[in-house]
Amino acid sequence: KAGVTQTPRYLIKTRGQQVTLSCSPISGHRSVSWYQQTPGQGLQFLFEYFSETQRNKGNFPGRFSGRQFSNSRSEMNVSTLELGDSALYLCASSPDRQRDTQYFGPGTRLTVL
Amino acid sequence: SQQGEEDPQALSIQEGENATMNCSYKTSINNLQWYRQNSGRGLVHLILIRSNEREKHSGRLRVTLDTSKKSSSLLITASRAADTASYFCATDGTGGYNKLIFGAGTRLAVHP
């Protein structure tokens, strides 16, 4: 099976802009989770979607949002970008069962200038 | 706040030596997972150990879990230069569903 794919791999934006990142899970996986990784805060959970429903959300401001489509593909959106949003954004997918292994994509490196 | 704390933060060894990394966590868990990350790339899943398991092996990897001490260790035997990476433990905690809480990671450098 193909792994988790994320597009784009690299992105440069300026403050105040918005950005949309995309994630395609492993075929058959219905759960998609998003994480932010920064040198200062490490890896932090953003949110998780299962069957197009957000099941869990991390402690991030409302500027961070996401959605999942019927084919399990997911997007996350960050509006009104701030310098501190510069990070590696990782997507992970897992099968139906809860608390199972999560398989990560290569990430999208977002730089906010 | 992060659930796990890894120790040491950085580890430098020679090829052929064993590398041991430790992880402590704060709340009850259902399982604990170890991941590897090379140079800011995606995370590669190494091993998952459930709360009712005490030890698990996968190739050159050995993971132990002590739920009474809320701690886990990852042992990499006969290290290779290709093992150079950052290693993270992640727990599901009580957050439910597929919400992983990561430690700060251990940076491992294996020198030829």
Side-chain angles (χ1 to χ4, degrees):
Chain A
K1 286 183 179 178
V4 178
T5 58
Q6 293 186 246
T7 57
R9 293 292 311 279
Y10 301 91
L11 207 49
I12 299 175
K13 292 285 188 179
T14 56
R15 280 180 298 175
Q17 288 187 311
Q18 76 166 23
V19 66
T20 299
L21 311 181
S22 181
C23 171
S24 292
I26 292 171
S27 177
H29 287 191
R30 294 165 61 190
S31 169
V32 174
S33 301
W34 288 89
Y35 295 83
Q36 181 198 63
Q37 185 177 29
T38 60
Q41 299 298 318
L43 281 152
Q44 293 187 292
F45 173 81
L46 280 158
F47 28 64
E48 187 239 359
Y49 287 88
F50 181 84
S51 292
E52 302 179 65
T53 300
Q54 185 182 89
R55 288 201 298 195
N56 215 338
K57 191 176 191 306
N59 188 26
F60 278 82
R63 300 185 296 107
F64 292 81
S65 63
R67 59 177 175 169
Q68 186 180 35
F69 302 96
S70 59
N71 62 357
S72 294
R73 190 177 69 85
S74 177
E75 289 181 347
M76 67 162 282
N77 183 275
V78 188
S79 63
T80 319
L81 285 166
E82 300 177 0
L83 295 179
D85 297 332
S86 294
L88 181 67
Y89 290 88
L90 294 162
C91 163
S93 76
S94 57
D96 290 359
R97 293 169 295 172
Q98 296 177 21
R99 300 191 175 95
D100 209 328
T101 298
Q102 290 192 39
Y103 298 90
F104 283 79
T108 294
R109 173 74 62 185
L110 171 65
T111 301
V112 182
L113 303 176
Chain B
S1 61
Q2 291 180 329
Q3 161 85 303
E5 296 292 335
E6 269 125 325
D7 164 50
Q9 291 186 346
L11 183 60
S12 181
I13 60 174
Q14 298 296 125
E15 265 191 330
E17 294 181 339
N18 295 342
T20 300
M21 289 158 266
N22 303 297
C23 165
S24 62
Y25 55 91
K26 298 175 184 174
T27 64
S28 298
I29 63 171
N30 294 284
N31 63 54
L32 183 145
Q33 303 182 55
W34 284 90
Y35 288 86
R36 183 185 75 226
Q37 185 178 41
N38 291 83
S39 302
R41 296 187 176 184
L43 298 170
V44 175
H45 182 260
L46 296 176
I47 200 162
L48 179 152
I49 185 165
R50 302 201 183 275
S51 59
N52 61 354
E53 298 175 310
R54 292 294 168 261
E55 188 170 311
K56 206 162 182 180
H57 296 255
S58 177
R60 294 183 296 112
L61 307 179
R62 182 176 80 108
V63 168
T64 62
L65 179 64
D66 187 335
T67 53
S68 66
K69 295 181 179 178
K70 291 187 170 61
S71 68
S72 173
S73 69
L74 169 67
L75 168 67
I76 303 174
T77 60
S79 296
R80 306 165 182 168
D83 295 327
T84 295
S86 291
Y87 292 82
F88 296 90
C89 70
T91 58
D92 60 348
T94 56
Y97 303 114
N98 292 310
K99 174 183 178 181
L100 291 179
I101 301 175
F102 285 86
T106 293
R107 294 188 309 279
L108 173 66
V110 182
H111 302 283

